[in-house]
Amino acid sequence: MRRLVHLAAAIAVAVFLVVAWEIDALRELRARPIQEAGPFSAPDAKAATVVAQTVSSYDLLLRWNGDVLWAPATASTDPVTKFGDEARSVFGPIPDGVCTGPNSRSVGVEVDGNAVRLEPNLSKAGAPLEFVHRDVEGRLVKWTTVVDRCDKPSLAGDVTFCAMNSRVGRITRNHVQWLFLCRKSSESLEIEADSYWTETDPRFSRYSAIGFNDVTGEIAFLDGRKDRSVFNWRDRFPPPGGTSYGDVGGRRAAEELYDGSAKVDCVVCHDNKKPTVIDPHMQQARVGYFESRHDRRAVFGMGNFLPGRVSRQELPFRVIGSGYAAAHAGTLLGAKSFLIDGHPCSDCHSLTTLESGRRFAADATGKTPVITSATVMQNAALFAQKIALGLVQNHRTEWASASGAGRISPWMVPEHGGNLWRGVRTLNEEDWLRLSQCAWGLGEAECGYKPLFTQCPPPGGGGDTFVPVDFSADVHSQPAAASGARMILRLSWKYLNGYGYVPARDDVRFNVAFETTDVPLVRGPPTQHEYPTIDEGKGKDFVAEAGGVGRSGSATLLKDVSFVGHKKWTDPLPSNVARLYSVDIPAACGKRYLFRILPKRFCFDNSGERFSETEHLFYKDMYCGK
């Protein structure tokens, strides 16, 4: 009988302890481990987690939510692969580089208003390669053995001035366009009668690409490795980072193709808020003809292959690539755009304190850069710019600078831009001095300086109008033997990362901070100060306890929440509808759960992460009584 009494007492104590655990569970989630009494099953897979030993609350949160707790572009530290993952997160899938086929064009060369090609001269013994000049009707004008000048020499610098038969490819997906450049060049920066320069020879020396979103102004630069002098445009050029996180072969091949050091400061020339540079060398049908695109000689150009874009000062413009941003931080942070009110060159576009203002404007107007009261350092920079412009001018034909109908240089004129037929008048010296001073960053208030590169927008701000919606919290429970019910509180919401209209965009994650208190005796909504603070939501003093779960001040924080089913280092399927997001946390009766949900954008530039400035607060009271 005594044994029976002892057994009954033991059972009573055990039942009391179990019930007490259910009432007091998670009173302080951050401070106490969770003890599973036995197998726990529920309709939801996460709720069915079996924990046969002591598991900390953080480990349990990671176990239930870990699949979607991850930051984009964190799968690799290789600079090429990391850049590719960043670019893909912003622009969506990156196509293979292509410079041939229907979506490509050849960049020709013109001399004295005629098109030039390198072909066998059948009129000579042995049919040597020579340069054949033909007019707009295709009639033979002459043969030459050299081409040392052309009508539109390149302004890019460090490339062959009168190169011929480089190729440009273009692929457009919604608002994102990719330009691929297979550029022929030589060490001497001159061309010669060698088969390398023929239209059919696939060899070229410099491979590069540019991605651009015409809504967001986001731009990315890809550059082929610099210790390789010969490429073949018949080859496949895989994108950096491959086609996806799982494309092991493509990622490895790209690492061998691209320059991971971001050695070339591409944005110095590509500074006019569009992917292509404004100059007659590339945009041959838009500028540099006496009758603009209506000139008969425009047949030599690429027509509308490179689309026009009004590059106004207020447009967004941002370079993607954390490695590039780190390597060229000085350029990106110091560059300014300027617009001189009432100036004849301000009617069509703004200019910058980079090359569009210093080199391109000088060549376009036929002027020499000038600085009043220049310092020693400024004089040195000015001298270098004059040397570069002098080399360009030395490779320009006399025909291109002649007076009359043949003249195409200066190739842009005040007020009418490339419409030279309206009257070729030059910029007066006073207006040029004002423009040059502004271009060298030495102008006064009349320059209207603004930062060239605009800020990374936080989710829901700065041009991004997409915000999370439909917040809700549901309780999932399953009876467990001898222990009442174990509960899961599932916080859910919906969000479409629609900035720039890229269906596979993947640069936004959510931080979810929460705290627990007892349900108040007097029912009512919590006050603002009861929720986790903004700093706690941002993880200002975050202490990781289990992966992306840890302590942030007095709150528990789940970092970098992605949408349901988006497992670590996988690419999202394209979507134009809001995706479902959710996190699961252990819950207990009589508790109030207070959440701060904070969207953030991974900027992949000097900004790091930008958090939403809109507050998304939510609470749930757990009433379990009858």
Side-chain angles (χ1 to χ4, degrees):
M1 184 67 180
R2 182 178 299 174
R3 290 182 180 179
L4 292 176
V5 170
H6 290 168
L7 178 60
I11 292 174
V13 170
V15 170
F16 171 79
L17 291 176
V18 169
V19 172
W21 187 93
E22 287 295 338
I23 294 175
D24 294 332
L26 297 175
R27 182 175 301 276
E28 184 55 59
L29 182 62
R30 297 169 305 284
R32 298 185 58 180
I34 294 177
Q35 176 69 45
E36 290 278 359
F40 172 57
S41 61
D44 182 85
K46 294 178 182 177
T49 301
V50 176
V51 184
Q53 57 185 355
T54 300
V55 177
S56 77
S57 57
Y58 302 107
D59 287 332
L60 190 57
L61 285 167
L62 182 64
R63 182 173 300 180
W64 288 353
N65 303 286
D67 280 352
V68 294
L69 300 183
W70 65 284
T74 55
S76 173
T77 57
D78 179 85
V80 171
T81 299
K82 183 175 177 60
F83 168 78
D85 291 344
E86 291 175 348
R88 208 169 55 253
S89 295
V90 173
F91 299 104
I94 306 172
D96 286 349
V98 59
C99 291
T100 59
N103 294 321
S104 68
R105 295 290 187 277
S106 177
V107 183
V109 65
E110 300 163 46
V111 176
D112 298 334
N114 301 309
V116 177
R117 298 180 67 182
L118 182 61
E119 299 176 355
N121 188 347
L122 301 179
S123 66
K124 290 186 177 180
L129 286 175
E130 291 186 354
F131 299 99
V132 59
H133 302 238
R134 293 188 173 91
D135 64 15
V136 292
E137 302 294 340
R139 294 183 295 243
L140 175 66
V141 175
K142 61 181 177 180
W143 289 87
T144 62
T145 58
V146 296
V147 169
D148 52 6
R149 290 173 178 259
C150 55
D151 299 340
K152 302 171 181 177
S154 174
L155 293 168
D158 198 33
V159 295
T160 301
F161 293 96
C162 296
M164 58 194 306
N165 295 321
S166 296
R167 294 195 66 86
V168 181
R170 180 170 178 260
I171 294 178
T172 300
R173 295 174 174 173
N174 297 319
H175 289 277
V176 174
Q177 59 177 295
W178 288 95
L179 295 176
F180 305 98
L181 181 59
C182 298
R183 177 182 290 160
K184 289 179 179 281
S185 191
S186 63
E187 290 186 9
S188 67
L189 307 186
E190 308 291 343
I191 63 173
E192 56 187 68
D194 184 272
S195 61
Y196 173 80
W197 295 103
T198 60
E199 191 173 2
T200 55
D201 193 313
R203 293 176 297 165
F204 65 98
S205 63
R206 305 183 184 195
Y207 175 70
S208 57
I210 300 173
F212 185 70
N213 187 312
D214 61 21
V215 171
T216 65
E218 293 162 318
I219 192 167
F221 302 102
L222 291 64
D223 227 9
R225 57 188 302 166
K226 298 310 173 188
D227 59 353
R228 178 175 171 181
S229 59
V230 179
F231 298 85
N232 188 315
W233 62 48
R234 292 173 182 161
D235 293 340
R236 170 180 174 265
F237 298 108
T243 57
S244 67
Y245 286 105
D247 182 11
V248 177
R251 291 161 84 84
R252 186 182 302 115
E255 289 170 6
E256 296 298 318
L257 173 63
Y258 294 98
D259 172 28
S261 67
K263 183 184 234 180
V264 178
D265 199 353
C266 305
V267 79
V268 169
C269 290
H270 295 269
D271 60 340
N272 56 325
K273 303 203 173 186
K274 58 191 298 186
T276 53
V277 177
I278 301 175
D279 74 5
H281 179 67
M282 291 295 290
Q283 296 191 324
Q284 297 181 49
R286 186 160 292 112
V287 293
Y289 286 109
F290 187 74
E291 296 182 7
S292 191
R293 67 180 64 220
H294 304 295
D295 195 298
R296 294 177 66 206
R297 290 184 301 272
V299 298
F300 298 145
M302 290 184 282
N304 292 324
F305 182 70
L306 300 176
R309 172 178 164 86
V310 179
S311 48
R312 292 293 185 187
Q313 189 181 29
E314 67 274 9
L315 291 178
F317 194 50
R318 188 168 69 89
V319 180
I320 300 299
S322 58
Y324 183 98
H328 303 290
T331 299
L332 298 174
L333 296 175
K336 296 181 176 62
S337 63
F338 65 90
L339 189 67
I340 308 171
D341 190 33
H343 194 278
C345 290
S346 296
D347 288 343
C348 300
H349 52 78
S350 63
L351 296 170
T352 82
T353 54
L354 302 179
E355 295 294 45
S356 74
R358 297 184 178 187
R359 181 176 303 182
F360 292 95
D363 191 73
T365 57
K367 297 294 184 180
T368 301
V370 59
I371 300 176
T372 58
S373 304
T375 65
V376 173
M377 294 296 292
Q378 290 166 351
N379 268 325
L382 197 63
F383 178 75
Q385 195 67 270
K386 289 178 180 179
I387 291 294
L389 286 164
L391 290 172
V392 172
Q393 184 59 32
N394 290 340
H395 285 83
R396 182 175 281 123
T397 59
E398 292 183 8
W399 177 92
S401 298
S403 61
R407 179 180 182 178
I408 63 169
S409 183
W411 44 272
M412 295 191 81
V413 296
E415 299 165 348
H416 302 299
N419 294 329
L420 305 184
W421 62 273
R422 289 181 178 269
V424 185
R425 78 174 184 85
T426 60
L427 194 66
N428 66 50
E429 294 303 320
E430 180 184 354
D431 283 336
W432 170 244
L433 177 60
R434 294 165 63 201
L435 190 154
S436 187
Q437 286 286 110
C438 290
W440 287 87
L442 302 172
E444 302 297 335
E446 73 159 348
C447 298
Y449 287 125
K450 290 183 179 180
L452 172 60
F453 300 101
T454 50
Q455 285 191 332
C456 169
D464 179 4
T465 60
F466 296 86
V467 296
V469 295
D470 297 343
F471 289 92
S472 64
D474 299 315
V475 179
H476 296 253
S477 62
Q478 176 70 24
S483 64
R486 176 65 51 80
M487 292 176 291
I488 294 174
L489 182 60
R490 177 168 297 167
L491 175 69
S492 302
W493 66 95
K494 291 182 179 179
Y495 172 71
L496 173 63
N497 188 3
Y499 183 54
Y501 306 102
V502 178
R505 191 175 185 114
D506 189 34
D507 61 340
V508 170
R509 293 290 189 271
F510 289 79
N511 280 6
V512 177
F514 70 92
E515 295 194 32
T516 61
T517 64
D518 292 331
V519 174
L521 295 176
V522 179
R523 297 186 181 185
T527 61
Q528 182 85 8
H529 76 271
E530 293 181 75
Y531 289 95
T533 67
I534 293 177
D535 283 345
E536 288 173 335
K538 291 181 178 180
K540 184 177 180 180
D541 298 312
F542 179 71
V543 178
E545 298 288 350
V549 182
R551 291 178 287 113
S552 183
S554 61
T556 297
L557 180 64
L558 288 81
K559 292 183 65 177
D560 305 329
V561 178
S562 189
F563 58 87
V564 172
H566 190 201
K567 293 186 177 182
K568 183 176 290 187
W569 301 330
T570 61
D571 291 86
L573 293 175
S575 177
N576 289 314
V577 298
R579 294 184 170 101
L580 176 65
Y581 291 71
S582 73
V583 293
D584 288 357
I585 68 169
C589 295
K591 293 297 179 180
R592 167 172 282 184
Y593 295 84
L594 301 111
F595 297 93
R596 179 180 291 274
I597 304 98
L598 202 55
K600 63 180 177 181
R601 169 162 282 115
F602 289 83
C603 298
F604 306 127
D605 59 18
N606 293 304
S607 308
E609 302 171 7
R610 287 292 305 277
F611 286 88
S612 172
E613 298 171 3
T614 302
E615 297 211 317
H616 301 286
L617 305 175
F618 191 84
Y619 79 99
K620 178 72 172 180
D621 289 338
M622 297 293 294
Y623 297 109
C624 302
K626 294 182 180 180

